[in-house]
Amino acid sequence: MDLTTSHIPSHYVFPVLRHSDILQCMSELGVELTKAELVEPIRHRDRLKKVFVALLEICCGVSEEELERVSPLMQDTLKSISKYPQTHEDFSDLRFFLELRRFMEDCGYHDLGWKDLHSPTAKRFRCQISAAINMAKFREDQLKLYAELNEPRVELLCALEEANEENSHLVEQLTVAQTDSDNKSKEIEQVGKECKELEVEITRYNNEQKARREEAAELKMKHNDLKDELATAKLALEETQVDWKSLRTKIVSSPERKKEENDVVA
């Protein structure tokens, strides 16, 4: 992979901004850049790297700390893609360059080389910063659009979450109601059993009462029969006594019998 600077294209897919516009946009992005650094980048090479690092973090989310972390596996990868790996003692610089070149290509600038970091020119630096600003503004617009499109989604998600919470609450209430209903069903079943037992007991009691009433009626009939028989017997006795008295007056006692009666009385 050739890391040197190639021919500068005559046109770009992004607008090349004026110095004043570049400084204003960089200020809006929160990246420090002076007019002197923009006009004479060769004299401010160290500041240029910090500017590009800030743009990488804003547009790509790659921080300076991440750029400085190079694992052994990444070192082997970087060596394999570099024509002169022995010249890259600090692989963090190589990684920074690769990340920056990938970013520039995404911005529409396909001509970034090592010279742009070590021997930058005002014209090329202006084009590179214009490309980065164009990407940053595009990203900003896309984020705004995403936020606008995402707002109804967030509202729907909130509504869905509320609906899920309400559903969970209703399910909980339903579970409690179902449990209560099951308990009541068991109680009703128990009461039904007790009612059946009472019905059996009442039926048995009614049968006993019926038998007792029948027995009482029978006893009453016997009582009445005995009462009638007693009345009849009493009447017969009275009649017998009357007859006996009547007969007695007609009997003539003999002297011997009279004497016997007197002896019995004595």
Side-chain angles (χ1 to χ4, degrees):
M1 179 180 291
D2 189 2
L3 302 180
T4 60
T5 305
S6 60
H7 173 68
I8 301 176
S10 59
H11 65 278
Y12 301 100
V13 295
F14 53 86
V16 179
L17 304 176
R18 295 177 299 179
H19 290 167
S20 59
D21 294 332
I22 290 175
L23 295 175
Q24 180 181 350
C25 290
M26 293 296 280
S27 177
E28 292 173 354
L29 292 173
V31 180
E32 294 183 8
L33 180 65
T34 64
K35 186 175 182 179
E37 294 167 351
L38 183 59
V39 175
E40 295 182 289
I42 188 67
R43 299 180 57 184
H44 306 279
R45 286 178 297 178
D46 293 338
R47 280 289 307 143
L48 261 60
K49 181 178 179 179
K50 292 186 177 299
V51 169
F52 282 127
V53 167
L55 290 171
L56 279 173
E57 185 167 4
I58 291 172
C59 298
C60 304
V62 181
S63 65
E64 185 174 4
E65 291 76 12
E66 290 180 79
L67 292 172
E68 292 176 354
R69 288 197 298 268
V70 182
S71 65
L73 178 60
M74 189 177 295
Q75 289 183 17
D76 294 339
T77 303
L78 294 175
K79 285 179 181 179
S80 66
I81 63 176
S82 176
K83 291 179 65 176
Y84 309 103
Q86 66 275 11
T87 63
H88 303 295
E89 296 180 0
D90 187 358
F91 283 97
S92 62
D93 285 342
L94 180 56
R95 183 184 177 187
F96 163 69
F97 172 76
L98 294 175
E99 291 286 352
L100 181 60
R101 188 165 72 171
R102 186 181 299 112
F103 169 58
M104 285 286 108
E105 289 176 351
D106 292 339
C107 294
Y109 188 92
H110 301 276
D111 197 46
L112 186 73
W114 278 109
K115 286 185 178 181
D116 293 306
L117 297 178
H118 297 283
S119 301
T121 64
K123 183 178 180 180
R124 291 175 64 83
F125 182 57
R126 177 185 171 190
C127 290
Q128 295 156 7
I129 293 297
S130 295
I133 289 174
N134 184 68
M135 173 62 77
K137 292 296 182 180
F138 172 76
R139 176 179 176 276
E140 187 177 287
D141 292 340
Q142 291 300 306
L143 287 175
K144 288 180 181 179
L145 179 60
Y146 173 78
E148 292 175 0
L149 295 175
N150 193 51
E151 185 176 353
R153 176 177 175 273
V154 172
E155 293 177 356
L156 289 174
L157 288 175
C158 291
L160 178 61
E161 185 177 357
E162 291 177 0
N164 287 334
E165 290 178 358
E166 181 66 18
N167 182 63
S168 299
H169 182 63
L170 291 175
V171 168
E172 184 179 351
Q173 288 183 337
L174 178 61
T175 302
V176 173
Q178 187 65 43
T179 302
D180 186 57
S181 176
D182 292 342
N183 293 335
K184 289 186 183 301
S185 296
K186 292 179 181 178
E187 292 177 2
I188 292 172
E189 184 179 356
Q190 182 63 29
V191 170
K193 289 181 180 179
E194 293 177 358
C195 288
K196 288 183 178 180
E197 291 175 359
L198 287 174
E199 287 177 1
V200 172
E201 186 68 20
I202 290 171
T203 301
R204 185 184 64 80
Y205 177 77
N206 288 337
N207 292 334
E208 289 180 356
Q209 288 295 103
K210 181 180 178 181
R212 288 176 182 176
R213 283 195 300 270
E214 291 176 352
E215 184 181 357
E218 186 178 351
L219 290 174
K220 187 176 181 180
M221 290 177 63
K222 288 182 178 181
H223 172 72
N224 290 334
D225 292 343
L226 291 173
K227 188 177 179 181
D228 291 341
E229 291 177 1
L230 179 61
T232 303
K234 187 177 181 181
L235 181 58
L237 178 60
E238 289 177 351
E239 291 178 350
T240 301
Q241 289 177 345
V242 170
D243 293 339
W244 181 76
K245 288 181 180 179
S246 177
L247 291 173
R248 187 177 180 185
T249 58
K250 297 179 179 180
I251 296 174
V252 177
S253 298
S254 64
E256 293 80 6
R257 187 174 182 182
K258 184 68 174 175
K259 183 180 179 181
E260 290 177 359
E261 290 178 357
N262 290 337
D263 291 340
V264 170
V265 173

